[in-house]
Amino acid sequence: MIFYASKRILFTLPIMLGVTIVCFALVHLAPGDPLVSVLPPDASQVIKEQMMALYGFDRPYHEQFLRWLWRALQGDIGTSIRTGRPVSTEISKAVGNTLMLAALATAIGFLLGTLFGFVAGYFRDTWVDKAASALSVFGVSVPHYWLGMVLVIIFAATLGWLPPTGAGPGGSEDWKWNWVHVQYLILPAVTMSVIPMGIIARTVRALVAEILSQEFVVGLRAKGLSELGVFGHVVKNAAPTALAVMGIQLGYLLGGSILIETVFAWPGTGLLLNDAIFQRDLPLLQGTILVLAMFFVVLNLVVDVMQTILDPRIQRA
Amino acid sequence: MQGISIALAVAALFAVATLPAVKEAQAQSVLRIAMTAADIPKTSGQPDQGFEGNRFTGIPLYDALTHWDLSSATKPSVLIPGLATEWKVGDADKTKWTFKLRKGVKFHDGSDLTADAIVWNVEKVLNKDARHFAPDQIGVTISRMPNLVSARKIDDFTVELTTKEPDSFLPINLTNLFIASPAHWQKKYDALGSVTDPAERAKQAWAAFAADASGSGPFKMARFSPRERVEYARNEAYWDPKRRAKLDRVVLLPMPEASSRTAALLSGQVDWIESPAPDAVPQLKQKGFVLYTNAQPHVWPWQFSFVEGSPWLDRRVRHAANLCVNREELRQVLGGLMEIPKGTVPPGHPWWGNPKFDIKYDLKAAQKLMSDAGFSATKRLKVKTLTSASGSGQMQPVPMNEFVQQALRACYFDVELEVIEWNALFTNWREGAKDPKSRGANATNVTFAAMDPFFAMVRFTSSKTQPPVSNNWGHFVNPEFDELIAKARTTFDDKGRDAALARLHARIVEEAPFLWVAHDVGPRAMSAKVKGVVQPKSWFIDLATMSMQ
């Protein structure tokens, strides 16, 4: 087990290096001016050149990359050009907010997704299956920013039951786990949960249907095991794959949804990325992409290891 | 019965839970504003995020040497004294300006405003050796006052500013130099004793200053949550009694999505939204919200190319395009949220100048001009225009450009629109029409502010502002215009300078280096509880005069 985990950790190192190269290249290859956030378009060429030199953007790309990588290895992923604040501070605050949202959205998505998936798989080809499958297809297909706007129109603008935007009446810095604050979380979390719900439901349905058709289930029933007991075996067999899918979905959600966080003005990584992109704030953009990519890599690693614990056959494969 | 009791208990719990927020709002007069910006504009004294930054984190928190008069909705917004009570250019040396400072002005931290503070604020962007040099503030400051080179204290309340060449626009430019408190910055700097690198220490001191800013404006910063909100409290000791704030607090929230802002207003989360979604305007009005609009010094144009081979080199073609667009129809398409342009500035403005060419819709005249230029329904003129799908001040670029494209078909134009990313379009504005990144376009659609003569006119028509120096994208070169600009720049009495600028504006309209399509009207929707709102003919608005009923 330790050997397997060490091997997987070792494999992640070149992936991480690749991630740093790709994220550096992507932000520098995109069109636009890296100083657009601090330099208006009407600024003269002289000022532009002066600023490019001050921020080090006049140096060759490979030199910029190596300097950035060296600092990143020491834990310094730079300072936002626009605000002058450390990128790490900006990201840690945003990640905390997105984590809160993603965890709730994943919990909702996983609970409903597995419920719909198991029900649909267990009662396959009945109206229950069709209804549950329709819901999961809706979850996968519906544009979530559209759903977010519709929910805002219904529950905030029309009924006035829930607040439409923000992370609490005083912002996320005053966050408390009470109704006054939690109500701000409901609409974005429900909107965000729809996609993982649909994906998990479809995956679990297919898995359950497949497991139920296997011979060992016939054997269990022939031995006289109750349906609840059989169900338990089905759950145990479906769990590793469902967990892997949930892990990937959590990874996606941790990246924050640019559209959902923008619609709900939720101060997470999606909104941070949106702002960094539009402001062409390269250190912030680079740092945020790097941290999110690393999250994804680490999360996949954790899921792989957990899968191995749940199903030792994976380790042998 | 039991069910009813439970429902009542839940309702009571809900009411109790939301009570503190409601009570707080009622106890104080709090104005909550949703901005279009995705983040809070910089609060360190030189705001970013375009003029929305000046509007919300510049003017309320800070003063400048000169101010815009924002007190009238009907008259043009003109220059008035701010921290300077009077100013004059040197009799012999026209590059030296003397500014007399207002006495008794205090910063929010209690320190006094003196000439030293003005010198310090100029040096923050011009003196690389100054301890408080702020590279991130250079762009938004120097680009708005390109000729300012230094500041010198004459006495405690007199300061001398020097420009690199005679420049009568300096007092107008100085509305953008917001004066921050040197003493307050020094406190932040002193608290960072553990940081050894002086540049890094200064940078961190500015970041700390931005989170706890100190200017001398009618509002003081009360709370700052990066990327989420900034709150202001009233500055009881503000020096101008007419602008002493009536509101207890102002809360500013970044909310870039128009439908979210609209929902926030409809649900009572905020009292004021900038730029409501046009299709939501009827609903907002129906629900009792008030829509404020006024002509802004804003231009939504096509800026023509004058490089060799451009179809716009012929003035008849440029005039034809300007006569071929039915702007009244476009206004209806935009739900009334635009002003019909007659030039870069409107009639009645001090720089108007009565141009001989009248920008209006006259299809027959346009077609005749095109026929005279050698075009017809069978011999059509191909033109290509760059635009973006979104962007600051661009209003609704794609539907508006498609409207213009359709309109120009009647005047024998075949318009190809190339939609590119906003930052790429913005950057290309200074690369110019000759640059390969212009993709062979003959016009570009970048909107601009027209508050200041340099930004409204000079940068588009001077031979010295051709790319990459500034935004004369189309390489419009005409010695007559260079002379008019030089005359305006070196006329130092206000009336004489305005008359020279009026001559320049009249000639610009006559030569038509633009297709003038629309002026924005700066729509903002507010709760009827917000009183004392004056929306001037400006990009800015004064929060200090407002109150909550």
Side-chain angles (χ1 to χ4, degrees):
Chain A
M1 184 64 215
I2 292 168
F3 175 72
Y4 176 78
S6 313
K7 197 171 76 177
R8 287 290 292 109
I9 290 167
L10 210 63
F11 282 166
T12 58
L13 294 178
I15 295 173
M16 287 181 176
L17 182 66
V19 164
T20 59
I21 294 169
V22 169
C23 87
F24 182 87
L26 277 179
V27 296
H28 281 83
L29 287 175
D33 193 323
L35 292 173
V36 78
S37 63
V38 286
L39 199 62
D42 32 50
S44 73
Q45 186 66 8
V46 177
I47 298 171
K48 190 182 168 189
E49 281 164 10
Q50 188 187 347
M51 298 281 283
M52 291 289 271
L54 273 167
Y55 282 93
F57 290 122
D58 58 339
R59 297 198 178 104
Y61 282 139
H62 68 274
E63 194 185 323
Q64 288 185 49
F65 173 69
L66 290 174
R67 287 165 71 96
W68 174 72
L69 187 63
W70 177 243
R71 285 203 305 268
L73 286 171
Q74 294 168 313
D76 173 11
I77 46 174
T79 308
S80 159
I81 291 179
R82 220 202 109 233
T83 65
R85 294 190 291 267
V87 172
S88 52
T89 314
E90 298 266 21
I91 297 174
S92 60
K93 190 183 159 205
V95 164
N97 292 331
T98 292
L99 192 62
M100 199 155 65
L101 183 59
L104 185 62
T106 310
I108 297 170
F110 188 70
L111 278 175
L112 294 179
T114 44
L115 179 71
F116 293 148
F118 272 111
V119 168
Y122 216 80
F123 299 100
R124 66 183 182 278
D125 299 330
T126 65
W127 68 269
V128 180
D129 176 21
K130 280 170 189 153
S133 297
L135 266 175
S136 64
V137 169
F138 171 80
V140 175
S141 332
V142 68
H144 46 280
Y145 61 90
W146 173 84
L147 180 67
M149 285 180 187
V150 169
L151 292 178
V152 163
I153 290 166
I154 297 171
F155 293 101
T158 308
L159 298 172
W161 290 357
L162 293 165
T165 63
S172 67
E173 283 180 0
D174 289 347
W175 182 266
K176 289 180 188 72
W177 285 99
N178 58 23
W179 173 246
V180 173
H181 292 80
V182 169
Q183 57 180 333
Y184 285 80
L185 198 54
I186 294 174
L187 289 181
V190 168
T191 310
M192 212 179 203
S193 72
V194 167
I195 290 179
M197 182 202 75
I199 291 170
I200 291 168
R202 284 164 65 86
T203 310
V204 170
R205 183 198 173 276
L207 271 173
V208 169
E210 192 202 326
I211 293 165
L212 281 172
S213 66
Q214 286 180 13
E215 287 179 352
F216 83 92
V217 175
V218 180
L220 290 172
R221 282 184 175 139
K223 276 179 153 182
L225 198 68
S226 68
E227 269 311 295
L228 198 63
V230 172
F231 189 74
H233 280 276
V234 173
V235 170
K236 204 175 166 188
N237 276 276
T241 311
L243 194 70
V245 175
M246 189 191 84
I248 291 168
Q249 290 305 310
L250 180 63
Y252 284 135
L253 297 188
L254 277 178
S257 164
I258 289 185
L259 294 171
I260 290 177
E261 290 188 358
T262 304
V263 166
F264 291 100
W266 184 264
T269 49
L271 197 60
L272 189 67
L273 266 179
N274 181 33
D275 194 29
I277 291 166
F278 281 104
Q279 295 289 334
R280 293 278 297 157
D281 193 338
L282 292 197
L284 185 61
L285 189 56
Q286 234 163 273
T288 311
I289 295 173
L290 179 72
V291 169
L292 294 178
M294 292 304 168
F295 248 130
F296 208 79
V297 171
V298 171
L299 201 71
N300 272 318
L301 179 70
V302 171
V303 169
D304 279 358
V305 173
M306 279 180 71
Q307 268 187 308
T308 318
I309 294 167
L310 283 171
D311 186 354
R313 286 173 301 179
I314 294 169
Q315 189 183 336
R316 289 195 293 272
Chain B
M1 191 63 199
Q2 198 186 358
I4 295 169
S5 305
I6 292 168
L8 284 172
V10 170
L13 196 68
F14 181 82
V16 168
T18 52
L19 209 56
V22 175
K23 263 188 170 174
E24 189 193 5
Q26 283 173 349
Q28 292 191 314
S29 59
V30 183
L31 174 63
R32 299 158 301 170
I33 303 171
M35 302 179 287
T36 64
D39 191 5
I40 298 157
K42 278 185 182 175
T43 51
S44 52
Q46 297 309 134
D48 60 349
Q49 313 268 6
F51 279 155
E52 188 170 37
N54 282 26
R55 186 185 309 144
F56 288 126
T57 61
I59 293 168
L61 286 175
Y62 295 93
D63 287 309
L65 288 170
T66 52
H67 284 178
W68 291 111
D69 183 0
L70 305 174
S71 63
S72 171
T74 51
K75 294 177 194 159
S77 177
V78 293
L79 203 67
I80 55 172
L83 291 177
T85 52
E86 56 186 285
W87 53 89
K88 69 182 185 78
V89 71
D91 294 330
D93 186 350
K94 300 292 183 198
T95 64
K96 307 271 188 213
W97 289 78
T98 308
F99 285 80
K100 291 275 181 197
L101 300 185
R102 195 175 293 281
K103 290 179 181 163
V105 176
K106 283 192 182 295
F107 289 109
H108 300 150
D109 59 296
S111 59
D112 292 319
L113 174 101
T114 62
D116 290 319
I118 308 298
V119 174
W120 188 90
N121 276 277
V122 170
E123 288 192 335
K124 75 183 172 187
V125 286
L126 285 176
N127 182 2
K128 273 189 203 162
D129 299 325
R131 187 196 287 169
H132 61 290
F133 181 62
D136 64 319
Q137 297 183 38
I138 293 175
V140 286
T141 315
I142 300 182
S143 64
R144 299 198 191 286
M145 46 205 79
N147 280 325
L148 181 65
V149 287
S150 65
R152 187 171 70 89
K153 175 182 171 179
I154 305 287
D155 61 42
D156 276 354
F157 293 98
T158 312
V159 68
E160 180 188 83
L161 301 186
T162 305
T163 56
K164 61 183 160 208
E165 57 187 339
D167 186 356
S168 65
F169 304 162
L170 183 73
I172 302 171
N173 299 157
L174 288 171
T175 54
N176 295 295
L177 181 69
F178 293 107
I179 305 300
S181 164
H184 193 63
W185 184 88
Q186 191 61 43
K187 272 186 218 154
K188 303 291 176 195
Y189 185 85
D190 293 343
L192 289 161
S194 58
V195 184
T196 48
D197 176 23
E200 181 59 29
R201 190 171 167 185
K203 191 163 77 174
Q204 289 189 25
W206 275 116
F209 183 95
D212 173 29
S214 177
S216 59
F219 289 95
K220 301 193 272 195
M221 188 186 276
R223 187 175 169 220
F224 179 74
S225 301
R227 300 190 181 277
E228 289 187 59
R229 61 169 52 211
V230 61
E231 293 185 19
Y232 301 154
R234 177 170 52 203
N235 176 11
E236 307 275 4
Y238 189 59
W239 55 267
D240 183 355
K242 280 186 282 181
R243 289 190 65 223
R244 215 162 274 160
K246 296 181 179 72
L247 294 159
D248 291 311
R249 287 175 97 81
V250 173
V251 179
L252 294 165
L253 304 161
M255 225 176 269
E257 173 55 43
S259 56
S260 305
R261 287 196 299 277
T262 306
L265 184 66
L266 285 168
S267 65
Q269 193 182 20
V270 296
D271 310 298
W272 160 345
I273 59 169
E274 292 286 278
S275 297
D279 52 357
V281 168
Q283 187 194 6
L284 289 169
K285 282 183 179 169
Q286 192 193 359
K287 297 213 169 193
F289 293 98
V290 185
L291 186 78
Y292 289 93
T293 62
N294 204 345
Q296 278 190 339
H298 165 281
V299 183
W300 195 104
W302 280 10
Q303 185 179 348
F304 297 136
S305 164
F306 291 83
V307 302
E308 200 182 332
S310 170
W312 301 110
L313 284 169
D314 188 334
R315 193 171 77 165
R316 290 170 299 186
V317 173
R318 303 197 296 273
H319 280 188
N322 271 291
L323 295 172
C324 197
V325 180
N326 187 339
R327 295 166 182 85
E328 191 52 57
E329 266 183 19
L330 179 61
R331 176 149 66 178
Q332 285 167 25
V333 170
L334 296 176
L337 299 182
M338 68 163 262
E339 193 74 20
I340 293 176
K342 285 286 186 182
T344 295
V345 297
H349 192 281
W351 310 336
W352 165 242
N354 295 315
K356 290 187 191 106
F357 175 57
D358 184 14
I359 298 169
K360 60 183 177 182
Y361 177 54
D362 187 340
L363 186 58
K364 282 193 176 157
Q367 286 173 333
K368 183 176 182 310
L369 281 165
M370 287 299 280
S371 299
D372 293 346
F375 300 99
S376 65
T378 51
K379 193 186 170 200
R380 305 181 68 82
L381 179 60
K382 286 187 190 304
V383 295
K384 182 176 175 180
T385 301
L386 291 177
T387 186
S388 63
S390 62
S392 172
Q394 293 286 87
M395 299 171 75
Q396 297 189 50
V398 174
M400 288 173 76
N401 271 297
E402 284 172 350
F403 182 93
V404 176
Q405 180 186 42
Q406 196 62 31
L408 293 183
R409 281 190 64 76
C411 299
Y412 320 134
F413 288 95
D414 280 339
V415 178
E416 182 190 347
L417 294 173
E418 178 135 355
V419 183
I420 60 174
E421 195 266 336
W422 167 236
N423 275 326
L425 182 75
F426 224 42
T427 306
N428 176 256
W429 206 19
R430 208 175 38 206
E431 292 165 340
K434 290 179 188 167
D435 192 279
K437 287 184 206 140
S438 295
R439 299 159 164 84
N442 333 105
T444 191
N445 168 228
V446 183
T447 55
F448 61 88
M451 302 203 49
D452 162 309
F454 179 79
F455 294 108
M457 297 184 269
V458 174
R459 61 176 162 163
F460 305 118
T461 53
S462 166
S463 61
K464 293 179 188 167
T465 56
Q466 292 183 77
V469 174
S470 192
N471 304 120
N472 187 350
W473 180 86
H475 299 268
F476 177 86
V477 178
N478 184 330
E480 180 199 347
F481 281 71
D482 286 342
E483 279 174 33
L484 287 169
I485 291 163
K487 171 80 178 153
R489 271 216 144 118
T490 52
T491 305
F492 289 92
D493 70 289
D494 289 353
K495 281 191 178 164
R497 181 197 60 210
D498 286 348
L501 289 168
R503 278 193 291 281
L504 175 64
H505 180 257
R507 287 295 296 128
I508 289 174
V509 174
E510 284 158 11
E511 282 302 312
F514 297 104
L515 164 54
W516 286 272
V517 178
H519 293 315
D520 200 359
V521 290
R524 43 183 61 108
M526 291 185 209
S527 156
K529 290 178 187 168
V530 187
K531 301 292 179 193
V533 180
V534 176
Q535 174 138 343
K537 290 178 185 292
S538 168
W539 284 71
F540 310 127
I541 190 163
D542 192 359
L543 305 180
T545 60
M546 296 179 197
S547 61
M548 292 293 285
Q549 197 178 48

